[in-house]
Amino acid sequence: MFNIIIFGPPGSGKGTQSARIAEKFNVKHISTGDILRAEVKQKSELGRQAQTLMEKGELVPDDLLIKILHSSIEKNKDAAGFIFDGFPRTIVQAEALDDLMKELEETIDVVVSLDVPDNEVVDRLLKRAEIEGRKDDNKETIRNRLNVYKEQTAPLLAYYMKQGKLESINGVGSIDKIFEDVVSTLEKYLS
Ligand code: B4P
């Protein structure tokens, strides 16, 4: 299996690049944001619990996310690998993912971190608000999402750096150029 994590602040292009990576490397795209939004749409019990938190830009509790991830992996055991998009977002989630991988006798091969400054992500998310109308893409929530990222998610950079798996990529520029850089980085891990 080829197992990749895509990492970065909200609006850094994780979802955008993941869709392309999944196609190019034939890996299964698991986006926890997409899964949660689908649950909200279906008005499931999980969706109901997640909705208020997502609209405030807060993280959904670790135990719920770990369950979601577990069942997504179970359903796709035959995949040639995974691209994890939006997961892990806390150290607890990262440790749970390491445990899950161990159970499968697998490992995370590489963590691609997209570097994008705050002003650029705010601009992108406000632009997306005009197009898609996502409830969490408003000024106040975006500010909170960035704070949550810095406090709870950014510490994962050191976690994966210590494991020697971190690859930082400049996430500013055209989507095609960023994808080119991502592909050449990932290809190093295949040979
Ligand atoms: P996500 O869906 O993961 O939202 P996100 O961080 O904003 O990233 P997304 O993938 O959507 O955006 P992208 O950067 O691709 O999470 C939403 C919420 O769900 C979280 O706040 C949290 O509440 C909850 N959640 C999800 N996972 C969780 C977890 N593991 N634990 C707890 N809670 C969790 O793109 C942004 C925009 O930029 C797009 O419009 C795109 O078109 C544009 N763009 C992309 N690349 C560009 C480029 N190079 N130049 C210009 N624009 C670009």
Side-chain angles (χ1 to χ4, degrees), residues 11-15 32 37 58 60 86 89 93 128 134 145 173:
S12 55
K14 300 185 297 289
T32 45
R37 280 184 289 279
E58 298 292 333
V60 175
R89 264 178 157 94
Q93 292 182 15
R128 181 168 71 185
R134 248 173 70 169
R145 284 160 69 193

Side-chain angles (χ1 to χ4, degrees), residues 112-162:
V112 174
S113 168
L114 298 172
D115 293 343
V116 182
D118 287 3
N119 59 341
E120 170 81 15
V121 299
V122 172
D123 286 352
R124 286 183 191 178
L125 295 176
L126 289 176
K127 208 159 150 201
R128 181 168 71 185
E130 284 168 22
I131 304 165
E132 294 178 22
R134 248 173 70 169
K135 284 212 171 127
D136 56 347
D137 285 343
N138 61 71
K139 256 194 189 146
E140 200 185 321
T141 305
I142 292 168
R143 202 176 314 120
N144 193 37
R145 284 160 69 193
L146 277 170
N147 286 338
V148 167
Y149 171 77
K150 282 174 192 159
E151 281 166 20
Q152 300 187 51
T153 307
L156 290 175
L157 288 169
Y159 180 89
Y160 288 114
M161 176 110 73
K162 233 187 247 163

Side-chain angles (χ1 to χ4, degrees), residues 2-41:
F2 187 31
N3 298 310
I4 309 155
I5 292 174
I6 190 145
F7 190 86
S12 55
K14 300 185 297 289
T16 308
Q17 296 295 331
S18 293
R20 291 175 168 223
I21 294 167
E23 201 185 338
K24 168 94 187 168
F25 292 95
N26 188 32
V27 292
K28 175 77 188 162
H29 180 194
I30 296 185
S31 159
T32 45
D34 286 350
I35 294 170
L36 290 170
R37 280 184 289 279
E39 296 284 340
V40 170
K41 213 169 166 189

Side-chain angles (χ1 to χ4, degrees), residues 13 18-20 29 32 34 45 47-48 72 81 88 95 97 99-100 104 107 127 135 151 163 167 178 184 186 188:
S18 293
R20 291 175 168 223
H29 180 194
T32 45
D34 286 350
E45 175 54 27
R48 202 187 50 72
S72 302
E95 288 170 348
L97 181 57
D99 290 347
L100 270 169
L104 295 173
T107 184
K127 208 159 150 201
K135 284 212 171 127
E151 281 166 20
Q163 294 189 1
E167 292 280 358
I178 296 163
S184 54
L186 291 180
K188 288 191 292 185

